[in-house]
Amino acid sequence: MRTRDRLWVGFLAVLAVLIWLRDRSWFDSAEEALPALAALPLFCWMGTPWNWFGTGRTSTDSDPSPRILGAAFLALLLGVSLNITLLLALGWTAALWAWLKSAVPAEDHQRLFRLLVLPFVAFPWITLDLQPLGWWFRLSGAWASELVLSFTGLDVSRQGTQMLVQGMPVSVDISCSGLKVLQSLLVAGTLLAYSLLGRTRRYWWNVALLLPVAWIANTARVLTISLAAMTFGPEFAMGVFHSWGGLMVLMLMFLGSYFLFRWQNSQERSLVI
């Protein structure tokens, strides 16, 4: 790796720390944001082998693209001005890509470009910027649970995120917002999609599907906890089962995603973009 590339690594590392520490309000919901910390190590691992240019210039070596650097600077500037961490993450990822295109051979560009989803989700923008999405996850989860429970013949009434199931109150509170599920699914789901579909044209479609998969996982969690409260009582449902039951539903969604990606891989092994 050249001295210039080492300077880039140092610059990106410092910038990443500044983005994480710029708004520390995510400390209050650390369990939602911390899964993002795994994304960059996973990116480094999945990107192997890293074929860096040496100290000498080569015919394929070039300086970072001014166009990509300009887009990165604009995204970072807007992110700071508008206080939007998602834009800061986008700008950081664009700066990373501008450097990587100049630091590794062209034959590695497509492979690494597909992995850029991981650096993008390596920042706490889901926790900091998407709280309204958490509200809609809660509201739609309560609505879907009402439909399913009513279909089974139970007496269910709902007002917003508050349900009354057979006379028992069930509240889809902020702990059921689904943002922790979304962060975990984006990181682990991207890793899974790349491992099984990274060389097929279906990769990007399946990465985009991780958002509805997260919604399904969160809604299934709300439904499972509601049924546990009906069967074993609210103390059981809101105790250890609240955490472990949610984890079980999340693992089942990962397992379902794995079999879905694996099936698609068997259908389309050789199609590459």
Side-chain angles (χ1 to χ4, degrees):
M1 185 183 289
R2 301 162 299 185
T3 301
R4 186 191 73 177
D5 297 323
R6 293 190 181 94
L7 291 174
W8 263 101
V9 171
F11 165 73
L12 289 170
V14 170
L15 184 58
V17 172
L18 290 175
I19 292 174
W20 266 91
L21 297 181
R22 181 190 63 90
D23 183 348
R24 299 181 183 84
S25 60
W26 61 265
F27 283 13
D28 297 330
S29 305
E31 72 280 1
E32 294 179 359
L34 288 181
L37 290 175
L40 279 181
L42 287 172
F43 172 75
C44 295
W45 175 51
M46 295 298 292
T48 54
W50 291 96
N51 302 311
W52 304 108
F53 286 132
T55 54
R57 305 285 290 187
T58 72
S59 59
T60 57
D61 192 9
S62 63
D63 292 325
S65 166
R67 183 178 301 177
I68 301 177
L69 284 178
F73 176 77
L74 180 60
L76 290 168
L77 182 62
L78 288 173
V80 171
S81 302
L82 302 175
N83 193 30
I84 299 177
T85 307
L86 186 148
L87 289 175
L88 294 174
L90 186 63
W92 191 92
T93 305
L96 172 68
W97 178 235
W99 164 62
L100 284 177
K101 285 194 70 176
S102 71
V104 300
E107 57 265 25
D108 291 337
H109 288 177
Q110 178 178 286
R111 175 174 61 87
L112 294 176
F113 182 75
R114 289 169 175 260
L115 282 171
L116 287 180
V117 180
L118 288 172
F120 179 57
V121 300
F123 297 92
W125 52 267
I126 292 177
T127 301
L128 294 176
D129 298 339
L130 298 189
Q131 289 303 320
L133 179 64
W135 160 253
W136 285 108
F137 264 45
R138 292 168 56 199
L139 183 62
S140 58
W143 170 78
S145 298
E146 177 192 17
L147 289 182
V148 173
L149 293 172
S150 297
F151 182 77
T152 62
L154 296 176
D155 180 24
V156 184
S157 62
R158 179 183 63 86
Q159 185 172 10
T161 60
Q162 308 296 319
M163 295 191 298
L164 201 63
V165 184
Q166 296 287 102
M168 177 181 295
V170 176
S171 175
V172 186
D173 59 19
I174 196 169
S175 65
C176 298
S177 65
L179 295 186
K180 183 166 62 174
V181 172
L182 179 57
Q183 185 75 72
S184 301
L185 267 177
L186 285 179
V187 175
T190 298
L191 179 65
L192 190 61
Y194 181 82
S195 299
L196 295 174
L197 299 170
R199 294 184 175 274
T200 74
R201 65 178 61 180
R202 300 185 183 186
Y203 169 73
W204 293 109
W205 289 105
N206 282 276
V207 169
L209 281 175
L210 291 175
L211 180 60
V213 167
W215 178 85
I216 293 172
N218 192 62
T219 301
R221 178 172 178 263
V222 172
L223 182 59
T224 301
I225 292 173
S226 300
L227 290 174
M230 289 294 304
T231 306
F232 302 105
E235 293 79 10
F236 172 82
M238 298 309 296
V240 176
F241 183 81
H242 190 270
S243 299
W244 287 100
L247 181 61
M248 179 186 67
V249 170
L250 182 60
M251 293 303 297
L252 288 175
M253 293 307 300
F254 280 139
L255 189 61
S257 298
Y258 167 77
F259 284 114
L260 176 62
F261 295 162
R262 186 176 178 180
W263 174 78
Q264 291 181 78
N265 176 265
S266 67
Q267 297 296 309
E268 192 176 359
R269 287 183 181 274
S270 59
L271 295 177
V272 180
I273 344 177

